[in-house]
Amino acid sequence: MFNFVLMFFICTWLPDWTFDQYLAMVLQTTIQSIQHLLDGASSIAIIAAFFFAIVFKDRIAQLFGFDHKTLFRFKLRDCLTCFGSSRFQPIELDIWKVEDLRSDDPFTANNVFVEFYLGYNETMATRVFNNAGSGCLMKQVLQLNFDENDEEETLFIFVRNQKVVGTSELARAEIPTEKLKAMVNSTRGPVIWSPLQFPEAINMIPRGKLWLRAARVDDADYNQSFFNELTTC
């Protein structure tokens, strides 16, 4: 109260100021301060939302159902390797069979096929096995490019049911880089469709089992491109 009375007398005694002008200036300053505060708060909120999206990008992608898709085919590793392809090695995925799948339609047998997503690779899929039901022998071979030193790479596996129009998901699984690398390094020789080369099944979500084998592909072109990039980059 004392300060208010003091400012009133000071503004009254000053020749170029009135108390009304002082109140108007205080109000104008307060409004400008609030506007700057709101502008700063919106900027801080945008920055916070950006970092939140970066930190939880995998969770957000999984929430919206596109965690298995590569939206941007570019990483810092591409710059560090001169955009070369030598860090990718060809691998072979051997799909023996699937079992214990759920029924998508109680009145129709499942028409089963399997899709694979890995890094920069295009979507790879087996052929459709009509009227497969809860399982079938597939004996399919697919080839992908694999960077065993990229810890962010994950092999996404989807078992789907082919409908007249569109598809539906029956089961899914994820194989991280370390596990896929171990599978590749532990596999030797050509594929033989027997339990000896498929000792352990991959458990699918929500149910189902997939027998899968991963092996290196002896590619002379890959070895030559690796040597060329070492000598030119």
Side-chain angles (χ1 to χ4, degrees):
M1 186 64 182
F2 174 77
N3 294 333
F4 179 80
V5 173
L6 179 62
M7 290 302 301
F8 173 78
F9 283 112
I10 291 176
C11 292
T12 303
W13 293 335
L14 290 176
D16 296 331
W17 276 84
T18 65
F19 188 70
D20 295 337
Q21 291 175 333
Y22 172 75
L23 292 179
M25 183 59 65
V26 170
L27 181 61
Q28 181 180 355
T29 303
T30 303
I31 293 176
Q32 291 179 351
S33 300
I34 294 175
Q35 289 177 346
H36 288 302
L37 182 62
L38 293 177
D39 293 339
S42 61
S43 300
I44 293 173
I46 293 173
I47 295 174
F50 174 77
F51 281 102
F52 180 84
I54 293 297
V55 173
F56 297 99
K57 64 180 187 305
D58 295 334
R59 296 291 185 182
I60 296 174
Q62 187 175 8
L63 178 64
F64 287 99
F66 54 84
D67 54 320
H68 58 284
K69 296 184 178 180
T70 302
L71 300 179
F72 303 100
R73 298 180 182 273
F74 173 80
K75 293 181 179 180
L76 181 59
R77 291 173 57 87
D78 298 328
C79 298
L80 299 178
T81 56
C82 301
F83 296 91
S85 59
S86 61
R87 63 189 179 95
F88 297 100
Q89 59 175 314
I91 62 172
E92 179 180 282
L93 298 180
D94 305 315
I95 307 97
W96 183 25
K97 61 180 179 178
V98 290
E99 291 182 355
D100 195 29
L101 298 173
R102 68 178 182 85
S103 177
D104 187 52
D105 187 341
F107 302 103
T108 306
N110 293 327
N111 300 313
V112 177
F113 71 99
V114 185
E115 277 186 348
F116 296 89
Y117 296 83
L118 178 63
Y120 292 169
N121 291 277
E122 297 295 331
T123 304
M124 303 295 290
T126 66
R127 72 175 183 87
V128 178
F129 292 82
N130 293 318
N131 299 319
S134 62
C136 65
L137 285 173
M138 290 190 164
K139 296 184 179 181
Q140 297 283 288
V141 178
L142 303 174
Q143 290 187 354
L144 299 170
N145 292 319
F146 174 51
D147 181 6
E148 63 181 16
N149 296 316
D150 191 347
E151 297 180 354
E152 295 181 358
E153 295 291 344
T154 300
L155 176 62
F156 293 92
I157 307 173
F158 294 88
V159 180
R160 300 188 185 276
N161 174 40
Q162 180 66 56
K163 300 180 179 180
V164 177
V165 178
T167 64
S168 59
E169 181 180 316
L170 298 176
R172 64 179 291 170
E174 299 178 10
I175 300 180
T177 301
E178 289 301 320
K179 183 176 180 180
L180 183 58
K181 181 179 178 180
M183 293 173 62
V184 171
N185 293 333
S186 63
T187 303
R188 296 291 184 273
V191 60
I192 300 175
W193 306 107
S194 71
L196 295 177
Q197 290 196 349
F198 299 86
E200 184 179 357
I202 297 174
N203 293 319
M204 311 292 290
I205 299 174
R207 57 177 289 186
K209 294 183 179 180
L210 172 70
W211 275 262
L212 177 70
R213 175 183 181 267
R216 297 183 188 274
V217 175
D218 187 11
D219 190 351
D221 294 335
Y222 164 74
N223 297 328
Q224 183 66 27
S225 65
F226 178 73
F227 175 76
N228 291 336
E229 290 183 10
L230 284 179
T231 56
T232 57
C233 182

